[in-house]
C-alpha cells in the first residue's frame, strides 16, 4: 500500500490479542480451514478458506463482542449494554451478553434481514429497528446509551473489539503456517485491523490485504487523505460491510499495517457467493465472500504462495440469497436471453425448441410478439430465457441456432 497514517504505534498489540484468545477459550469456536481446488487452479497457488461463517452466531463478531463485554466493570454490566448492527454484530452482542448475564438492547436498520432480527431476539437481546443504514443506526444506539447509561458496544471502533477479532489471525497462523497472503473483508475495519495486528507481529512477511465492496469503499479515499472520511449513500448487496466511514481505531492500524485494500464489484460478489455454494458447499453471505470475489476478480495477484481467504459470515436472508443466486448465475454466463423471428405457423416453435434440445439448453421462459409493425405478415418474434452451463455453452447455442437457419436479433 502506498498510504501510511502517521501513528507511530498501533493502539492494539499482540499481547491484547493473545489475552483475548485466552478469554475466548470455550466460548468461540476454532473454525475450520478448507481448501479450494478451483481457486487454487485459478491463482496458481494453494487457496484456503478460514470458515468464520461456521462460527457461533454465524460470523466472527462473537469474538470481539465477548471480549469487550467481559472486560466491563461490575457497575457497567449492571447498566446493560447497547449496540447497533445490520445483523452479525447484533447477534454477537446478544449471545455474548446472555453468556455473561448482561442485559442487551440492539438497534438494527429498518431493512435488516428478518432472519438476523429473529436470531438476535432469540439470543436474548431487545431489538429496536431504526435508520436505513448502519451509520444512522449507530447514532440512535449512541443516543440511547447517553440517555440510559447503558454501555455502547461499538461494532469495530474499540481496542477490545479489535483484539477479539484478531484471534482469527492467530488461528490462521496456527492452521496454515506456510501462508503468504491473507485476504480479509473490510467494513468499519475491526476484523482487518485485528488480523493485521496479530499476523504482522508474528509474521511480518505475510501480506494482509483488505477487501471492500466498490459501492461502499470508504477506506481508499480515507487512506489517500490520511484520516477517516465519510462516503455518501454506500450501496452494496454486502450489508455486513456497508459502512460509510472507517472507525478511528481500526483506521490507524490499517493505515500502518495493511499491505493493500482492494475493491470488488457486485457481479464479483454474487459470483463468489455462487462459487462458495457450488464448489465449497458453504453458505456465505455477500460480505463474507468479498475475499473470494477478490480472488475471482484478479487471480493473477495471488500466485505467490498459499492464500487464506477469510469467510467472515454466513448469515444471509433466504430472499436475498435467491436474488443473488440469479444475479450470480447471470454474471457467470449461466443465463442467456435471445430474440429471434420464426414463421407464424404450427410446428415452428417446436422446431426451434428441438434445436435447443440438441445442445442441452434448458428453456426457462418463452414469449411471443405478433403485433410489432416491423414483423412480416407471417412472422412472429420469440423471446427465450435459457439456462446454460457457462459462456462456452452460450456460444454453442448461438452457433447451433445459426446453423439451423435462425437469425438471432440484437
Amino acid at each position: 500500500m502506498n498510504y501510511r497514517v502517521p501513528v507511530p504505534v498501533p493502539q492494539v498489540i499482540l499481547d491484547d490479542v493473545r489475552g483475548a484468545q485466552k478469554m475466548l477459550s470455550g466460548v468461540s469456536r476454532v473454525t475450520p480451514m478448507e481448501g479450494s481446488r478451483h481457486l487454487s487452479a485459478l491463482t496458481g497457488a494453494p487457496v484456503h478458506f478460514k470458515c468464520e461463517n461456521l462460527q457461533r452466531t454465524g460470523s466472527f463478531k462473537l469474538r470481539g463482542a465477548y471480549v469487550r463485554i467481559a472486560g466491563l466493570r461490575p457497575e457497567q454490566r449492571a447498566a446493560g449494554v447497547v449496540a447497533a448492527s445490520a445483523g452479525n454484530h447484533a447477534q454477537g452482542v446478544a449471545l455474548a451478553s446472555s453468556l455473561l448475564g448482561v442485559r442487551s438492547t440492539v438497534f438494527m436498520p429498518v431493512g435488516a434481514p428478518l432472519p438476523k432480527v429473529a436470531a438476535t431476539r432469540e439470543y436474548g437481546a431487545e431489538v429496536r429497528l431504526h435508520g436505513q443504514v448502519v451509520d444512522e443506526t449507530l447514532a440512535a444506539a449512541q443516543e440511547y446509551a447517553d440517555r440510559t447509561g447503558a454501555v455502547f458496544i461499538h461494532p469495530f471502533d474499540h481496542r477490545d473489539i479489535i483484539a477479539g477479532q484478531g484471534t482469527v489471525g492467530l488461528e490462521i497462523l496456527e492452521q496454515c503456517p506456510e501462508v503468504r497472503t491473507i485476504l480479509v473483508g473490510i467494513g468499519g475495519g475491526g476484523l482487518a485491523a485485528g488480523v493485521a495486528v496479530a499476523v504482522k507481529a508474528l509474521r511480518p512477511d505475510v501480506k494482509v490485504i483488505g477487501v471492500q465492496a466498490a459501492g461502499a469503499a470508504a477506506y481508499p479515499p480515507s487512506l489517500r487523505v490520511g484520516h477517516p472520511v465519510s462516503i455518501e449513500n454506500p450501496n452494496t448487496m454486502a450489508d455486513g460491510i456497508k459502512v460509510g466511514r472507517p472507525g478511528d481505531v481500526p483506521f490507524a492500524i490499517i493505515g500502518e499495517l495493511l499491505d493493500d485494500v482492494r475493491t470488488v464489484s457486485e457481479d464479483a460478489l454474487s459470483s463468489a457467493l455462487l462459487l462458495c455454494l457450488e464448489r465449497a458447499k458453504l453458505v456465505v453471505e455477500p460480505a463474507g465472500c468479498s475475499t473470494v470475489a477478490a480472488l475471482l476478480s484478479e487471480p493473477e495477484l495471488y500466485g505467490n504462495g498459499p492464500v487464506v481467504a477469510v469467510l467472515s459470515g454466513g448469515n444471509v436472508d433466504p430472499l436475498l440469497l435467491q436474488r443473488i443466486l440469479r444475479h450470480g448465475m447471470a454474471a457467470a454466463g449461466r443465463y442467456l436471453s435471445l430474440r429471434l423471428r420464426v414463421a407464424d405457423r404450427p410446428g415452428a416453435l417446436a422446431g426451434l425448441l428441438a434445436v435447443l434440445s440438441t445442445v442441452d439448453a434448458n428453456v426457462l421462459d418463452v414469449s411471443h410478439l405478433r403485433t410489432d409493425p416491423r414483423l412480416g405478415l407471417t412472422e412472429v418474434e420469440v423471446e427465450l430465457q435459457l439456462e446454460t452451463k457457462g459462456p462456452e455453452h452460450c456460444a454453442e447455442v448461438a452457433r447451433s441456432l445459426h446453423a439451423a437457419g435462425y437469425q438471432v436479433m440484437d
Side-chain angles (χ1 to χ4, degrees):
M1 188 187 299
N2 296 321
Y3 320 115
R4 286 293 180 263
V5 178
V7 176
V9 180
Q11 299 180 48
V12 182
I13 62 175
L14 178 61
D15 284 347
D16 298 322
V17 182
R18 283 178 165 160
Q21 189 176 45
K22 291 179 181 178
M23 190 179 295
L24 289 167
S25 178
V27 175
S28 65
R29 296 180 180 134
V30 177
T31 51
M33 191 171 287
E34 301 289 342
S36 171
R37 283 182 292 180
H38 177 77
L39 288 174
S40 297
L42 191 65
T43 62
V47 174
H48 307 279
F49 295 149
K50 175 59 172 168
C51 300
E52 283 296 291
N53 58 312
L54 302 179
Q55 183 58 261
R56 295 180 70 178
T57 74
S59 88
F60 69 96
K61 289 287 191 176
L62 173 64
R63 297 173 183 262
Y66 188 90
V67 173
R68 174 76 172 100
I69 297 169
L72 296 178
R73 299 187 302 275
E75 64 272 21
Q76 291 177 311
R77 293 193 187 193
V81 299
V82 60
S85 167
N88 288 340
H89 179 62
Q91 293 173 71
V93 168
L95 178 56
S97 299
S98 295
L99 292 173
L100 292 164
V102 177
R103 184 179 71 258
S104 62
T105 302
V106 175
F107 285 76
M108 304 181 74
V110 172
L114 292 179
K116 291 186 179 183
V117 175
T120 303
R121 288 192 173 116
E122 289 171 6
Y123 285 127
E126 177 189 348
V127 175
R128 302 190 181 191
L129 301 179
H130 183 91
Q132 298 300 318
V133 296
V134 173
D135 301 270
E136 296 174 357
T137 311
L138 280 169
Q142 185 64 66
E143 186 278 330
Y144 176 89
D146 295 340
R147 177 166 46 85
T148 65
V151 179
F152 179 57
I153 308 299
H154 199 284
F156 47 81
D157 207 8
H158 192 280
R159 59 178 299 151
D160 289 346
I161 295 288
I162 293 169
Q165 321 305 28
T167 59
V168 174
L170 294 180
E171 290 179 15
I172 290 173
L173 295 182
E174 292 165 1
Q175 293 171 309
C176 186
E178 69 278 13
V179 63
R180 297 298 303 276
T181 303
I182 298 173
L183 290 168
V184 56
I186 302 182
L191 176 61
V195 169
V197 166
V199 171
K200 289 297 186 178
L202 295 169
R203 289 281 306 281
D205 60 302
V206 174
K207 287 186 176 181
V208 182
I209 297 175
V211 183
Q212 288 207 288
Y219 265 88
S222 297
L223 290 166
R224 280 195 293 270
V225 299
H227 60 83
V229 297
S230 299
I231 58 172
E232 294 185 4
N233 303 318
N235 183 29
T236 174
M237 69 176 76
D239 60 294
I241 55 174
K242 189 167 71 171
V243 179
R245 183 187 184 279
D248 293 329
V249 180
F251 178 80
I253 296 169
I254 285 171
E256 282 292 313
L257 298 181
L258 244 67
D259 294 280
D260 201 357
V261 175
R262 314 296 298 180
T263 61
V264 294
S265 68
E266 299 298 285
D267 280 353
L269 286 168
S270 57
S271 295
L273 188 148
L274 185 62
L275 182 143
C276 288
L277 276 175
E278 283 193 320
R279 298 299 183 95
K281 308 301 182 279
L282 291 169
V283 176
V284 185
E285 62 188 281
C289 64
S290 60
T291 53
V292 179
L295 288 166
L296 289 174
S297 300
E298 298 175 294
E300 68 280 1
L301 298 181
Y302 306 104
N304 188 22
V307 180
V308 172
V310 179
L311 306 182
S312 57
N315 295 314
V316 57
D317 181 1
L319 294 177
L320 175 62
L321 179 61
Q322 185 180 44
R323 294 197 299 270
I324 292 172
L325 286 176
R326 287 199 300 265
H327 187 268
M329 289 183 70
R334 299 281 293 276
Y335 289 135
L336 178 62
S337 296
L338 296 173
R339 289 189 305 120
L340 33 76
R341 293 177 184 178
V342 300
D344 190 9
R345 56 178 174 76
L349 180 59
L352 171 61
L353 296 180
V355 173
L356 296 173
S357 176
T358 62
V359 289
D360 201 26
N362 187 35
V363 179
L364 300 176
D365 191 32
V366 179
S367 64
H368 288 76
L369 178 65
R370 289 188 169 87
T371 57
D372 192 318
R374 293 172 296 180
L375 290 171
L377 183 63
T378 60
E379 287 183 321
V380 59
E381 184 175 297
V382 177
E383 183 172 350
L384 297 165
Q385 300 291 330
L386 307 176
E387 180 184 351
T388 65
K389 300 171 185 176
E392 293 182 0
H393 192 203
C394 289
E396 181 185 0
V397 171
R399 287 194 299 269
S400 297
L401 289 171
H402 180 74
Y406 294 101
Q407 182 175 359
V408 178
M409 302 167 60
D410 295 330

